Amino acid sequence: MISEKSGEVKKYKRKCVVLNVFEAKAWRNVAVRDSKTEEKYFFGKVKQAPPEINEGDELYIGYEELPYDLPDGSSKIVLMTLDGLLLDWAMITPH
């Protein structure tokens, strides 16, 4: 989502629902479902509480198209709380 006029990278976010939370040694593994597209995403390095994250909670996922030399459609996706605290991020590419 790079604006043709300004060259700026566009970002957007939307709500998601937590499907699963699995505790690991130093991290939590969190699976979420995008409320709009129904796509599922996995974040493997969410720091331990706080904040508390439970199945069924609403969080935000944010998308940002990357201006790097990567396959078309590659994006950075971030997981954050409703008040904007960054929890984890991942790279996604279209399949």
Side-chain angles (χ1 to χ4, degrees):
M1 290 74 64
I2 299 176
S3 171
E4 294 289 329
K5 293 180 183 174
S6 68
E8 120 187 352
V9 175
K10 300 247 183 211
K11 302 176 187 179
Y12 59 95
K13 69 180 180 181
R14 58 180 170 243
K15 286 188 178 179
C16 65
V17 176
V18 176
L19 300 174
N20 296 305
V21 179
F22 297 103
E23 300 294 325
K25 290 184 180 185
W27 310 100
R28 290 177 284 180
N29 301 317
V30 179
V32 299
R33 184 182 66 247
D34 183 325
S35 299
K36 183 175 180 181
T37 66
E38 298 298 315
E39 289 282 329
K40 295 177 186 175
Y41 299 101
F42 175 80
F43 295 90
K45 287 200 170 185
V46 177
K47 291 181 182 177
Q48 293 290 356
E52 190 67 33
I53 300 173
N54 297 298
E55 187 176 318
D57 286 354
E58 283 191 330
L59 297 173
Y60 278 126
I61 46 177
Y63 298 92
E64 176 182 336
E65 191 170 284
L66 299 171
Y68 311 121
D69 187 22
L70 295 172
D72 287 340
S74 294
S75 300
K76 177 180 178 181
I77 183 170
V78 296
L79 181 67
M80 61 190 113
T81 62
L82 295 179
D83 60 359
L85 176 66
L86 178 66
L87 299 171
D88 195 11
W89 67 274
M91 299 289 293
I92 57 172
T93 55
H95 39 291

